[in-house]
Amino acid sequence: MPLLASTRLRSLIAVISAVVLIAGLALANAAPALAIGLDSDGDMLFDSDEIDIWGTDPFNPDTDGGGMWDGEEVNYWGTNPLDPFDDYFGDPCMID
């Protein structure tokens, strides 16, 4: 009887290990797909671009604190999203 229980236990462990492995692979492959097109702070820049290209904070829409969203600076004004002093450089109506 102990030999049969040991064999069943090993089989159960093997099945559980396989399920965990498959689930882990599925999650690992899904994570990059979920990140594509994600804009956590809603500033019109993808999180991946904020990290890899611009060096801005993907969870703060105005990384430099200058008053203009990062995506607005990059996509519309062409200013530096890391420089708070150039945020309204392109629009004379916004300068105090």
Side-chain angles (χ1 to χ4, degrees):
M1 196 75 156
L3 180 60
L4 181 60
S6 175
T7 303
R8 285 185 180 170
L9 181 58
R10 278 190 235 145
S11 296
L12 180 61
I13 290 172
V15 168
I16 291 171
S17 296
V19 168
V20 169
L21 176 67
I22 291 169
L25 290 174
L27 285 175
N29 289 331
L34 293 174
I36 294 172
L38 186 63
D39 181 10
S40 295
D41 56 11
D43 65 355
M44 302 177 292
L45 289 178
F46 295 132
D47 290 357
S48 58
D49 290 347
E50 291 206 59
I51 294 167
D52 298 335
I53 297 171
W54 303 108
T56 54
D57 182 352
F59 301 104
N60 180 355
D62 183 15
T63 299
D64 63 13
M68 191 180 298
W69 284 7
D70 300 337
E72 191 177 0
E73 289 195 63
V74 168
N75 297 321
Y76 185 70
W77 295 108
T79 55
N80 182 349
L82 299 174
D83 180 0
F85 300 108
D86 72 352
D87 278 16
Y88 292 104
F89 180 73
D91 186 358
C93 296
M94 300 301 291
I95 297 173
D96 290 341

